[in-house]
Amino acid sequence: LSEDGTRMSGAYLDATGKANASLFTLADFTWTLSPDMGANCDISRTSAWDFSRDGTTIVGLGYLQTLCNERATRWKVGDAATVPLYAWYGWNARVNGCSRNGSYMVGWQAQADGRWMACMWKPNGTSWSQVRFGNAAGLIPGEGSCVTDDGARAFGAAWFGSMREPFTWTAAAG
């Protein structure tokens, strides 16, 4: 639900029966569908995992090519395109959460072996660059869940040995 309580994100079926990340406006009970990226996996074309507090930017994942290739996505409501975010080697990725204004996004990026590594997409001019979260032991296996408005701190869940535990990442510590 948006901060002012007037909008929410979700999925809505398009005319072909495929689910798209969408914005629901409570005042007039209307859905605004995100543009798809030309492919789908089963019923989904794009999906919403979070959105900015003003309800204007929806983040999540979309299918860019066949074979269910997931890409992290960002869609500014009203824009003509859903933007696939940078992914190392084109491997699967998803945005789980975003900052208050939708500028900073966190989630996961798959590795060659399929394991998820926690990461953030941050503004870089007119696009976004990816920062993979790490610590002294290397990359953090897991996923980012939420991020501060300035991208200085992110939180998520990671696998440390056989335990799934919360983590905090800071830009200062890398």
Side-chain angles (χ1 to χ4, degrees):
L1 192 61
S2 62
E3 204 166 59
D4 65 3
T6 63
R7 302 176 185 132
M8 60 187 207
S9 64
Y12 190 77
L13 299 181
D14 64 19
T16 66
K18 301 297 182 188
N20 292 271
S22 303
L23 178 72
F24 184 73
T25 305
L26 295 168
D28 56 7
F29 284 73
T30 59
W31 286 96
T32 304
L33 279 67
S34 66
D36 68 64
M37 297 188 309
N40 62 276
C41 185
D42 298 325
I43 193 172
S44 293
R45 291 188 192 272
T46 57
S47 63
W49 283 77
D50 195 12
F51 72 131
S52 59
R53 301 313 161 254
D54 65 0
T56 62
T57 303
I58 295 177
V59 298
L61 71 85
Y63 297 98
L64 190 59
Q65 303 162 352
T66 57
L67 302 175
C68 296
N69 189 334
E70 298 174 343
R71 289 298 172 93
T73 59
R74 180 180 193 271
W75 173 55
K76 185 83 169 165
V77 176
D79 283 359
T82 296
V83 178
L85 301 171
Y86 179 80
W88 290 92
Y89 305 108
W91 295 328
N92 291 344
R94 180 182 73 209
V95 177
N96 292 338
C98 65
S99 60
R100 181 182 201 89
N101 68 3
S103 293
Y104 292 88
M105 298 157 282
V106 293
W108 56 263
Q109 161 76 60
Q111 301 301 295
D113 62 6
R115 289 181 306 140
W116 293 358
M117 295 296 170
C119 64
M120 173 172 51
W121 290 268
K122 63 180 189 171
N124 184 13
T126 59
S127 64
W128 291 267
S129 58
Q130 188 189 84
V131 175
R132 295 190 288 176
F133 298 157
N135 58 28
L139 295 176
I140 297 176
E143 57 188 316
S145 298
C146 54
V147 61
T148 57
D149 292 342
D150 61 359
R153 184 176 298 260
F155 307 90
W159 288 102
F160 296 104
S162 62
M163 301 293 294
R164 187 161 167 90
E165 298 180 25
F167 73 84
T168 300
W169 173 90
T170 65

